[in-house]
Amino acid sequence: MTTLAVVLATVCAVGTGAALGDKPSPIGIKTETITVKAQQIAAFDKSDPQRTRFGKLTWRGGLVLTSTSPNFGGWSGLTMDPDGKQFLSVSDAGTWMTGTIDYAGGGRPTGISSARLGPLLALDGKTLARGRDRDAESVALAKGTLAKGEVVVGFERNHRIGRYQISPKGLSAPTGYIPLPPGAEAMPKNGGLEAITVLMGGAYKGSLVAISESLRDRHGNHQGWMWVKGKPQGFTVTNDGDFDVTDAAALPDGSLLMLERRFRLSEGVNARLRLIRRGELRPGARIVGETLLRADLNYEIDNMEGLGAYVGAGGEIIVTMISDNNFNPVLQRTVLLQFALDGAELASASATTP
């Protein structure tokens, strides 16, 4: 198959997503330990293997992940524990995965250990039966840690945000659902709550933030909401370059990172990372943000959908991304990427904003 044919096939697979019937059903599976194999990605820039600096980001390393588990794949949301080792990911096939990222000297990721996979559950504690109910797209740590805490999970098709307890056993059945704001019902079935996070600092600390993948306002801007004292209030993010929003991750100062993706037949898949500083993030705002990274198929990306962040030992922000392979291992990969953002640069800029 020619390079162009591969690009076109990949774009079609990523752009449309695997049909629900092509995804493995979680019905009947039990929470289990799985083995995840990792092949290291030596360089992010395929044309310049020695390059490690990408604007304000420093490349730390990456992994191509595989598993013999038939339910491994479709990872659409990611959240990191404050310790930087434990992670939780959710799949659009209705499953969750926890595990540990192993590191070598210098903080380079080398593998995944202690991985566990289980089904997302309904309120009655049973595995989600309908395909339209299983499409988990985003996850965020709301309280505590991934060893003992609370997480929120965003779904599309049947749009909703659920609250779950998390422990070493995995995710509980949802303890309830957060009422969606007026207007959220207009989200496309396949363009729902791709990005959710809980703010970690600033004036809106503790507020839930959600951004739709493809709901736009009348000016074409991305539609988002933040729950201030429990009440959802709208804001928008500029739609620069016709990207779709795929995830968000809160930073300690009250800022957040937003991951985006774009498909065009002429270029294949693109990924972009924007920084939204805490001074920009407020109800009613029209947010521009700052582009930290933009990458195409000349870089080691795939269908990047999940985003997590934590503070490293030196105060730097460690940014972690994961891709959704659409259960299409012939043309797509599950890729985990890590970069470092200088925490001092973020702190100095935030000091001038409320």
Side-chain angles (χ1 to χ4, degrees):
M1 186 179 290
T2 66
T3 300
L4 178 59
V6 170
V7 169
L8 295 178
T10 303
V11 169
C12 291
V14 175
T16 59
L20 284 177
D22 295 333
K23 299 177 183 178
S25 170
I27 294 177
I29 71 169
K30 304 292 185 182
T31 298
E32 61 178 351
T33 298
I34 64 170
T35 298
V36 178
K37 294 183 178 180
Q39 178 183 348
Q40 294 189 43
I41 300 173
F44 182 60
D45 187 340
K46 297 177 183 178
S47 65
D48 186 359
Q50 303 304 314
R51 183 183 176 192
T52 59
R53 190 72 177 178
F54 300 87
K56 295 179 179 179
L57 296 176
T58 301
W59 167 249
R60 282 168 57 97
L63 305 170
V64 178
L65 305 177
T66 58
S67 176
T68 58
S69 169
N71 295 95
F72 180 88
W75 305 115
S76 300
L78 177 71
T79 191
M80 298 295 298
D81 194 78
D83 71 1
K85 298 179 181 179
Q86 311 303 313
F87 71 89
L88 166 66
S89 190
V90 293
S91 169
D92 55 18
T95 57
W96 55 262
M97 176 176 65
T98 58
T100 301
I101 301 177
D102 301 320
Y103 296 95
R108 176 172 52 88
T110 58
I112 301 294
S113 60
S114 303
R116 288 168 59 82
L117 186 148
L120 289 164
L121 305 177
L123 286 169
D124 61 5
K126 297 180 180 179
T127 300
L128 296 170
R130 299 187 303 177
R132 67 186 298 269
D133 293 335
R134 301 173 188 158
D135 197 345
E137 294 289 341
S138 49
V139 62
L141 181 63
K143 296 178 183 178
T145 68
L146 294 181
K148 184 179 181 180
E150 180 182 89
V151 300
V152 286
V153 177
F155 295 81
E156 66 180 15
R157 299 187 193 276
N158 179 12
H159 302 306
R160 64 198 191 281
I161 302 174
R163 295 186 182 275
Y164 300 76
Q165 298 299 310
I166 187 168
S167 71
K169 296 181 179 180
L171 289 187
S172 69
T175 58
Y177 292 101
I178 297 170
L180 296 184
E185 67 278 359
M187 291 187 293
K189 289 183 179 180
N190 196 32
L193 299 166
E194 286 269 348
I196 62 172
T197 192
V198 176
L199 297 181
M200 298 172 62
Y204 302 108
K205 182 178 180 180
S207 294
L208 173 67
V209 174
I211 308 172
S212 171
E213 177 183 10
S214 52
L215 179 64
R216 310 282 196 262
D217 71 2
R218 61 189 181 92
H219 301 293
N221 300 310
H222 299 290
Q223 182 64 57
W225 300 271
M226 56 191 307
W227 278 252
V228 180
K229 297 181 179 179
K231 296 182 178 180
Q233 301 186 43
F235 66 87
T236 59
V237 183
T238 55
N239 178 17
D240 302 321
D242 201 28
F243 281 73
D244 288 329
V245 178
T246 60
D247 209 352
L251 302 181
D253 74 326
S255 303
L256 64 81
L257 297 170
M258 186 176 79
L259 182 62
E260 299 170 278
R261 174 198 59 210
R262 185 178 76 189
F263 303 100
R264 287 181 177 171
L265 290 175
S266 60
E267 64 185 11
V269 60
N270 273 244
R272 183 169 67 187
L273 183 69
R274 273 198 270 183
L275 169 64
I276 298 174
R277 299 188 186 275
R278 70 185 186 195
E280 288 187 281
L281 186 57
R282 60 187 183 277
R286 177 181 174 272
I287 297 167
V288 177
E290 175 186 354
T291 297
L292 297 179
L293 179 71
R294 180 168 171 178
D296 58 19
L297 289 175
N298 292 308
Y299 301 85
E300 289 285 359
I301 65 166
D302 206 280
N303 177 29
M304 309 311 299
E305 288 214 6
L307 179 68
Y310 68 93
V311 180
E316 71 278 18
I317 305 298
I318 307 301
V319 182
T320 307
M321 308 176 195
I322 196 168
S323 66
D324 172 2
N325 71 347
N326 285 306
F327 292 95
N328 186 9
V330 175
L331 293 175
Q332 294 180 249
R333 305 175 297 168
T334 298
V335 175
L336 185 142
L337 308 175
Q338 281 198 339
F339 298 86
L341 171 65
D342 189 344
E345 187 279 332
L346 183 64
S348 62
S350 297
T352 62
T353 60

